[in-house]
Amino acid sequence: MTKQSKNLILLGAPGSGKGTQAAKLTKRLGVPAISTGDIFRENIAKGTALGKEAKSYMDRGELVPDAVVIAIALDRLDAPDCKDGFLLDGFPRTTAQADALGAHLAASGRAIDRVLLMDVSTEELVRRITGRLVCKACGASYHETDIPPAREGLCDACGGALTKRGDDEEATVRNRIEVYNANTAPLAAYYEERKLLVRVASGAATPDAVFADIVKVLGE
Ligand code: AP5
Ligand code: MG
């Protein structure tokens, strides 16, 4: 992959592995991984006004309103560490967000280079998310049976306590997937029209196999 093609979007349903692959890719490419969901969860933990607003939507598995998300994401993309590239996880999620992102990048002479779509079946998404464990301290993600930590309840990376996310209960997960299908799935066609979309990985692939596929696609 050439130096300039590092402005990437990871597109995929809840549980498709965006966070898992972002953690691997950020190390490989040396560009920051930006998850709007993580930004909201940090604000919820700190009890900020943004956190309180976001929580009311996240708890129901609904999208946080465009105006709120767009302001946060575009501001983050103007930080100096995004100068040589970035990896977006969970943004954009609507056509309005994608339009705002494109216009904002163009205004600073930048553009999206690739959109990596991870396609996974609904039942596999539900199975993955309902088994997910997340480190409270560093955010690393595990799965009860597929990707268990070496020591039960503790993070391999930092030793922090593993917990379940508040929106990972099955009914909420199913709503999040419906919301994705209605609002975010159309972005695949949006980016396909712009010749930026690349499909990676089959639903059954392991995280390492998905990562190998992404690296191949990017020509790294
Ligand atoms: P967000 O935090 O972005 O959640 P999400 O999109 O629902 O996605 P997840 O984080 O659940 O899944 P993931 O794709 O990262 O999968 P992971 O790698 O963890 O958003 C949360 C909420 O914030 C939204 O519902 C919304 O309210 C709000 N929000 C955020 N951005 C917004 C926006 N732009 N606009 C409006 N609202 C916004 O993997 C899942 C599990 O599977 C883990 O256990 C993992 O270990 C395991 N796993 C991963 N890969 C594999 C594999 N290949 N095989 C087997 N298991 C695997
Ligand atoms: Mg995630």
Side-chain angles (χ1 to χ4, degrees), residues 12-21 35-38 40-41 54 57-58 61-66 69 89-94 97 118 124 127-129 131-133 141-144 146-147 165 167-168 176 203-208 210:
S16 58
K18 302 183 296 296
T20 301
Q21 296 304 323
S35 156
T36 38
D38 285 349
F40 293 139
R41 280 183 287 278
Y57 295 96
M58 291 169 78
E62 300 292 332
L63 294 182
V64 176
D66 280 340
V69 188
D89 159 1
F91 180 88
R93 265 172 144 102
T94 63
Q97 292 180 20
M118 291 184 287
E124 173 68 4
R127 195 191 67 77
R128 285 186 188 178
I129 299 188
R132 172 164 52 191
L133 299 167
S141 180
Y142 299 84
H143 187 277
E144 283 166 347
D146 295 20
I147 311 161
R165 251 170 61 175
D167 58 348
D168 279 357
R176 283 161 55 198
T206 63
D208 284 346
V210 176

Side-chain angles (χ1 to χ4, degrees), residues 30-136:
V31 299
I34 301 169
S35 156
T36 38
D38 285 349
I39 293 173
F40 293 139
R41 280 183 287 278
E42 281 157 23
N43 276 273
I44 291 170
K46 287 185 197 149
T48 68
L50 171 67
K52 287 192 180 101
E53 181 177 7
K55 188 173 188 311
S56 65
Y57 295 96
M58 291 169 78
D59 281 349
R60 288 180 281 127
E62 300 292 332
L63 294 182
V64 176
D66 280 340
V68 176
V69 188
I70 288 170
I72 302 286
L74 301 190
D75 185 57
R76 177 66 187 86
L77 287 168
D78 287 342
D81 66 339
C82 294
K83 191 171 55 71
D84 294 329
F86 52 79
L87 189 53
L88 285 170
D89 159 1
F91 180 88
R93 265 172 144 102
T94 63
T95 305
Q97 292 180 20
D99 286 344
L101 172 64
H104 187 77
L105 293 177
S108 57
R110 296 182 288 174
I112 293 298
D113 297 302
R114 288 271 201 295
V115 178
L116 306 165
L117 175 65
M118 291 184 287
D119 220 349
V120 179
S121 74
T122 299
E123 288 318 307
E124 173 68 4
L125 295 172
V126 173
R127 195 191 67 77
R128 285 186 188 178
I129 299 188
T130 52
R132 172 164 52 191
L133 299 167
V134 184
C135 175
K136 269 187 181 171

Side-chain angles (χ1 to χ4, degrees), residues 133-142 149 151-165:
L133 299 167
V134 184
C135 175
K136 269 187 181 171
C138 75
S141 180
Y142 299 84
R151 291 171 299 161
E152 197 181 332
L154 297 177
C155 177
D156 294 349
C158 76
L162 300 183
T163 181
K164 292 234 173 204
R165 251 170 61 175

